[in-house]
Amino acid sequence: TAKGGKKLVDEGGQPARAALLAKGDAKDAVGTDKEANRLISLGAERLETAAKKLREAAGMPDVEGIQGKEKFALLADSYEKRAAAYKQAGALLTGELEGPVFSEVETDALRVVLAQEGYDWAYKRGAA
């Protein structure tokens, strides 16, 4: 398939290069979107957990050596507000984006294009 990828690039010229780079960027964008959605959900969950624990600790007796306890309730308020904002953002971003489909030849061809343009495939893109 490596030969097939080079052949696709050589015979397809600039239109093939443009299409391959567009598909590569689209794949990256879809992956980033998926990770962003995961982090939004995780962030909301962690903020809610932290707020709950801060409120519980705020209601307990003071302990010598624990600093900043007087701010626990305010911190909990701010964490709950941020968690709510994350949830609103997450609600707007429902569903997954569809990514482009790559044949084995296209995957190899994209590697050829990226190598020709001086990109480090493993560092910048990962496998297609």
Side-chain angles (χ1 to χ4, degrees), residues 37 40 84-95:
N37 283 327
I40 286 170
Y86 279 5
K87 285 182 173 185
Q88 287 178 335
L92 295 173
L93 301 171
T94 59

Side-chain angles (χ1 to χ4, degrees), residues 8 13 21 56-57 66-67 70 85-86 110 112 120-121 126 128:
L8 177 60
L21 288 170
E56 288 173 5
I66 302 294
Q67 296 181 353
E70 70 280 357
Y86 279 5
L110 180 56
V112 168
D120 177 0
W121 172 262

